[in-house]
Amino acid sequence: MATAALFSYITVNSPNFHLTAKLSEFSRQLKYGGKYYSGFTDISSSRRKPKSLSVVCNNSSPSSSDISSTAKIRSEVLSPFRSVRMFFYVAFIASAGLGGLIASTRLIAALANSSRGAEVPEILKGLGIDLGAVSIFAFLYYRENKAKNAQVAKLAREENLSNLKLRVDDKKIVPVSAFRGIARLVILAGPSAFISECFKLSAPFTEGLLERGVLVVPFATDGISPSFEFEENDELEEKISRRKRLWQLAPIYATEWTKWIDEQKKLAGVSPESPVYLSLRLDGRVRGSGVGCPSWNAFVLQLPPVKGIWSGLLDGMDGRVL
């Protein structure tokens, strides 16, 4: 029996926000945990100082049931025909199993009655077909269910990442999910010396990275805050400002970040001491990862800009999801 499977892939894009050189041209309200945070009037600094700003941070993680339900919903959106295929696999297994049961009773009756001995070869043939069908569809169901569980687990890890907190400035703390549709985050995890080296290597590509909505999240695993040296020069004031904006984000609640990164290293078979990087797409899903410093030049070459005439057309061209 030949079975044709129809696959469909749906990409859900967040609203298209443009990250321009001056983010002070727009504002956005972010809601998390029932609390509103003031929008990005400027990622590096705010020209319009609010009269009063109260930041309330909720350090509690969502329950496993909430994460599981969210991941399952996203999995259904990404693979809408998987449940249909699994239903038919179960139906075919039940049908073939029932046929095998009937064939078994006929075989017993034929063996017990010598006058029906001529029917045995035909009954064995039908029984073999039924057992073969059960085996094939059971294997297909097992493979589909395994892929579903792996996808749900990966989406659950991405949801855990989206709930981790970032400090934008002294008065603004937001979750990683707040940057969906706005920026492509690149997470660096390693000792402070590794962070400083990546900082130096990114200098020639600052302009191109910002045009593509890239923002860096440096996380020092040794507990030593990396020192970023910016040359104070009036002539390079605009360039220095852009460098600061590229490297402005800082993770908070180090325990949660450490736990999440250690889990990713364990799943990838990477040594816990190895410095790693992880890049996210505009939709917040993992685009790529690796050991050592990322190739900043590759980001500039592969990612489309988030402004201009190509901003909406190429929003999905972030690369395949890992």
Side-chain angles (χ1 to χ4, degrees), residues 303-318:
L303 297 175
V306 293
K307 64 179 181 178
I309 61 174
W310 304 107
S311 57
L313 181 62
L314 300 178
D315 278 353
M317 304 297 292
D318 286 51

Side-chain angles (χ1 to χ4, degrees), residues 1-320:
M1 175 183 295
T3 304
L6 174 62
F7 294 90
S8 174
Y9 180 82
I10 298 177
T11 303
V12 180
N13 287 323
S14 301
N16 181 23
F17 294 99
H18 294 174
L19 182 64
T20 62
K22 295 183 178 179
L23 293 175
S24 59
E25 296 177 1
F26 67 90
S27 61
R28 181 176 177 227
Q29 294 230 336
L30 303 175
K31 182 178 181 182
Y32 183 75
K35 302 294 181 180
Y36 283 92
Y37 299 89
S38 60
F40 295 131
T41 56
D42 193 329
I43 281 188
S44 59
S45 63
S46 178
R47 295 182 179 179
R48 306 170 77 182
K49 300 294 183 180
K51 294 181 180 179
S52 63
L53 178 62
S54 176
V55 176
V56 179
C57 301
N58 185 4
N59 192 22
S60 61
S61 300
S63 64
S64 58
S65 60
D66 293 338
I67 294 176
S68 177
S69 61
T70 302
K72 288 180 179 179
I73 292 173
R74 292 182 63 190
S75 177
E76 289 294 334
V77 172
L78 294 173
S79 302
F81 293 101
R82 174 173 287 151
S83 298
V84 177
R85 292 195 300 270
M86 294 180 70
F87 170 79
F88 279 109
Y89 292 156
V90 172
F92 294 151
I93 291 172
S95 177
L98 180 61
L101 179 62
I102 295 174
S104 298
T105 57
R106 291 180 59 198
L107 178 62
I108 294 174
L111 293 176
N113 189 351
S114 59
S115 62
R116 299 178 57 187
E119 300 178 6
V120 172
E122 183 180 354
I123 296 175
L124 287 175
K125 180 180 178 181
L127 180 60
I129 293 175
D130 290 333
L131 294 178
V134 170
S135 302
I136 291 174
F137 287 112
F139 169 75
L140 293 175
Y141 180 87
Y142 168 78
R143 187 180 65 174
E144 199 75 53
N145 189 57
K146 183 178 180 180
K148 176 184 177 181
N149 293 336
Q151 185 182 55
V152 170
K154 180 175 65 175
L155 292 174
R157 292 194 299 271
E158 291 178 353
E159 287 298 319
N160 291 336
L161 172 62
S162 70
N163 291 312
L164 297 178
K165 304 297 192 303
L166 292 172
R167 185 185 299 278
V168 180
D169 55 33
D170 294 338
K171 297 182 179 180
K172 193 180 301 179
I173 297 175
V174 296
V176 172
S177 59
F179 292 92
R180 286 178 179 172
I182 299 177
R184 300 178 173 103
L185 301 184
V186 176
I187 302 170
L188 304 177
S192 57
F194 163 74
I195 303 295
S196 299
E197 181 66 20
C198 293
F199 173 77
K200 294 177 182 178
L201 294 175
S202 69
F205 309 102
T206 300
E207 190 73 22
L209 291 172
L210 287 175
E211 287 179 355
R212 285 150 181 81
V214 175
L215 295 178
V216 183
V217 181
F219 179 67
T221 56
D222 56 4
I224 302 175
S225 300
S227 58
F228 300 144
E229 298 180 358
F230 300 96
E231 297 180 0
E232 297 297 335
N233 191 328
D234 294 339
E235 297 179 357
L236 302 177
E237 182 178 358
E238 180 65 22
K239 183 177 179 180
I240 293 174
S241 175
R242 296 178 72 78
R243 287 279 290 159
K244 290 181 178 180
R245 184 159 66 248
L246 177 63
W247 288 83
Q248 178 191 2
L249 300 178
I252 61 174
Y253 306 130
T255 303
E256 296 181 3
W257 279 90
T258 300
K259 179 181 178 181
W260 189 88
I261 292 173
D262 287 344
E263 289 178 354
Q264 304 312 301
K265 289 182 177 180
K266 183 177 180 180
L267 291 171
V270 177
S271 170
E273 294 79 17
S274 300
V276 296
Y277 75 89
L278 188 102
S279 64
L280 305 184
R281 293 158 39 114
L282 274 176
D283 58 6
R285 303 194 66 189
V286 177
R287 175 183 179 272
S289 60
V291 178
C293 294
S295 176
W296 303 113
N297 185 39
F299 289 146
V300 175
L301 294 176
Q302 296 173 5
L303 297 175
V306 293
K307 64 179 181 178
I309 61 174
W310 304 107
S311 57
L313 181 62
L314 300 178
D315 278 353
M317 304 297 292
D318 286 51
R320 66 184 182 89

